Amino acid sequence: MTAHTSLPRRAAAELIGTAGLLVVVIGSGLKAAQLSPDTGVALIANSFVSAIGLGLIITLFGPLSGAHLNPVVTLTSWWARRSGGEGLGGREVLVYVVAQTAGAIGGAVLAEAMFGRTPGTFATRALDGGHLLVGEVIATAGLVLVIRGLGCIGRDRLVPVAVAAYIAAAIWFTSSGSFANPAGTIGRSFSDSFTGISPGSLPGFVAAQLLGGILGLALAAFLYGTRGKGSAAPEATEGAEAAQAREPEPPTGVGPDRAAYQAVG
């Protein structure tokens, strides 16, 4: 996230980015269902297009708002700040979540209208059962672990590709189809389609996603410890320490230029 970007502009980026994500997810699902009666083929197309769209949206909006596009990701950012790292404050979290939810609903309605369907029709596809909720916990925990883990080892630039790849895979390996996004789940309830979810299934899915976010944070803390965002991996740290040990001591009275040794984030 760019520190100098105003909150209204960041909120607009989250709204537009989340709307775009829902247009991609729902629109590709509608197109796939039109072109093939085979559910498996339709799911391949939907997951492939969703991954490409997600990666592009994160790349485009990341420098503006961080491209959270997801209340769970926003809440993990708030927790990072509470833990002494970089992240969002409480007011920013509220603005982000409202923008994401509004964007998700708007994107769903736009996708429906684009395909000549009646906008605002609620989904009738019920997704009930404990096994599906377990799938959502796993899907969301994995997403948070990917994002937090890459931040901890200083590989933030891989987030667009890694998150896109993870979601494409999780759509297939989780029983729920990896919604993994409370705002996106609410938005998809406004589309009675291949990618929709009935309003009655929302409470269970959203609760499972929040639980998955907590689990993902716990796993990241367990695996990576308290190293802050952008910390170097152990191997890199050891290499830097070894190089520093080989450097000659500066002449007496001349201090090292510390700025020359700082890594550019």
Side-chain angles (χ1 to χ4, degrees):
M1 179 182 67
T2 303
H4 301 293
T5 305
S6 66
L7 182 56
R9 183 171 294 181
R10 283 185 276 149
E14 287 296 303
L15 187 149
I16 296 169
T18 311
L21 176 61
L22 267 290
V23 169
V24 169
V25 172
I26 294 175
S28 62
L30 291 170
K31 191 70 171 182
Q34 283 182 356
L35 297 176
S36 175
D38 189 312
T39 304
V41 172
L43 187 58
I44 290 174
N46 178 239
S47 59
F48 179 71
V49 174
S50 296
I52 293 176
L54 177 59
L56 290 173
I57 290 170
I58 294 174
T59 301
L60 180 62
F61 292 101
L64 293 175
S65 67
H68 293 185
L69 317 174
N70 185 336
V72 169
V73 177
T74 297
L75 287 171
T76 61
S77 175
W78 169 81
W79 180 255
R81 180 168 177 171
R82 293 271 297 181
S83 304
E86 298 179 358
L88 300 179
R91 176 170 171 266
E92 293 172 305
V93 168
L94 178 60
V95 172
Y96 267 51
V97 171
V98 170
Q100 291 158 359
T101 305
I105 295 172
V109 171
L110 178 59
E112 290 282 301
M114 184 169 59
F115 280 85
R117 295 159 59 90
T118 304
T121 302
F122 286 115
T124 57
R125 181 178 172 230
L127 295 174
D128 300 321
H131 65 292
L132 297 180
L133 300 184
V134 171
E136 274 302 282
V137 171
I138 294 173
T140 312
L143 174 63
V144 171
L145 181 58
V146 167
I147 296 171
R148 297 291 297 171
L150 288 173
C152 286
I153 63 176
R155 298 292 189 271
D156 301 85
R157 293 182 179 180
L158 296 178
V159 166
V161 174
V163 169
Y166 173 79
I167 290 298
I171 288 173
W172 282 90
F173 74 72
T174 62
S175 57
S176 62
S178 184
F179 285 55
N181 182 338
T185 304
I186 293 171
R188 287 164 72 164
S189 71
F190 284 81
S191 174
D192 190 16
S193 67
F194 174 74
T195 56
I197 177 173
S198 68
S201 300
L202 291 180
F205 264 60
V206 171
Q209 290 157 1
L210 294 175
L211 179 59
I214 295 172
L215 177 59
L217 281 173
L219 288 171
F222 174 75
L223 292 171
Y224 300 102
T226 57
R227 284 184 290 150
K229 180 180 179 181
S231 297
E235 296 82 359
T237 304
E238 292 167 3
E241 291 174 349
Q244 187 176 12
R246 291 192 297 269
E247 291 178 356
E249 291 293 329
T252 304
V254 180
D257 181 6
R258 293 186 179 276
Y261 295 100
Q262 292 177 351
V264 179

